């Protein structure tokens, strides 16, 4: 059986373990990592660390649910219309399309990485893409399309901002790193301060501890939360700043083991 390509996370965690005398065992081709030290152990599943409670991490996977919570706490974010497979009508989809200006984004409610995310300018285009989504997912969301240049990622552990970088899109309207966007640390201090305040306010609403917060800059001083990622992936960022990337995971691991 061909082995799944080794992730940078595995390499970084192995280095941290070696430097701190932590035993490391991998399974499921490196997707599950178990660490042992001083009669205590932790699992890393994919990019999810045990520093978070499971409910907060699950809320991050629910785009509509997270958005509603953030709105309730007056945290600026994108609004979504939620639809469950088998429990919506064509009239409801059409009403959402019109309500959001006839230029919308449709995507799985629990999707990741920019996969199955479509911009739709016609109702027929929207319905076709909904059919694609519900063939693979239980639910989907529709939101207004916003054109913006800058999207930022704020990585936080234990209520402290660890790093901020910009995600520069390439020949597309999406800012997903896995789809070709490039991380850049060229962010001025004033912007960093504004992003940190907003990101910390957002994570307080769900009580998550170790995460990354994606923030869109729609215009000057107009920022909105795109999403909170309970799994912290730094594969692309580690190519830009390997030292800081390692520090991010090191802080999370040391915090868990009280080192």
């Amino acid at each position: 059986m061909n082995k799944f390509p080794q992730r940078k996370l595995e390499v970084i965690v192995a280095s941290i373990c070696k430097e701190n005398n932590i035993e490391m065992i991998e399974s499921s081709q490196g997707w599950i990592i178990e660490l042992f030290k001083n009669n205590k152990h932790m699992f890393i599943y994919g990019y999810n660390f045990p520093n978070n409670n499971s409910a907060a991490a699950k809320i991050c996977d629910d785009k509509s649910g997270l958005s509603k919570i953030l709105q309730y706490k007056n945290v600026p974010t994108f609004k979504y219309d939620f639809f469950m497979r088998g429990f919506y009508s064509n009239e409801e989809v059409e009403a959402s399309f019109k309500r959001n200006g006839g230029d919308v984004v449709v995507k799985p409610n629990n999707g990741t990485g920019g996969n199955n995310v479509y911009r739709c300018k016609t109702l027929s285009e929207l319905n076709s893409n909904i059919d694609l989504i519900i063939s693979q997912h239980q639910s989907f969301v529709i939101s207004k399309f916003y054109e913006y240049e800058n999207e930022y990622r704020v990585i936080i552990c234990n209520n402290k901002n660890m790093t901020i970088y910009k995600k520069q899109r390439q020949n597309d309207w999406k800012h997903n790193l896995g789809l070709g966007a490039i991380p850049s640390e060229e962010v001025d201090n004033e912007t960093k301060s504004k992003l940190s305040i907003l990101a910390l306010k957002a994570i307080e609403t769900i009580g998550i501890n170790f995460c990354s917060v994606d923030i869109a800059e729609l215009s000057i001083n107009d920022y909105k939360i795109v999403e909170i990622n309970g799994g912290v992936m730094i594969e692309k960022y580690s190519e830009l700043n390997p030292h800081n990337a390692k520090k991010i995971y090191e802080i999370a691991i040391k915090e868990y083991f009280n080192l």
Side-chain angles (χ1 to χ4, degrees), residues 189-199 215 220-221 223:
N189 290 332
E190 182 181 357
T191 301
K192 283 184 178 180
S193 178
K194 293 174 182 177
L195 294 170
S196 293
I197 292 170
L198 180 57
I215 301 174
I220 297 175
N221 293 323
Y223 299 94

Side-chain angles (χ1 to χ4, degrees), residues 20-23 35-41 257-259:
N20 292 276
N21 296 314
I22 299 171
E23 183 181 356
L35 308 182
F36 300 86
K37 186 175 179 67
N38 298 333
N39 297 317
K40 190 174 182 180
H41 74 100
F257 284 111
N258 296 316
L259 299 179

Side-chain angles (χ1 to χ4, degrees), residues 59-68 78 80 107-112 141 227:
I59 290 172
C60 291
D61 293 336
D62 185 330
K63 299 184 191 306
S64 175
L66 174 62
S67 175
K68 287 289 196 300
F78 294 110
Y80 296 105
K107 55 188 172 183
N109 187 52
N110 63 342
T112 60
V141 291
E227 61 184 353

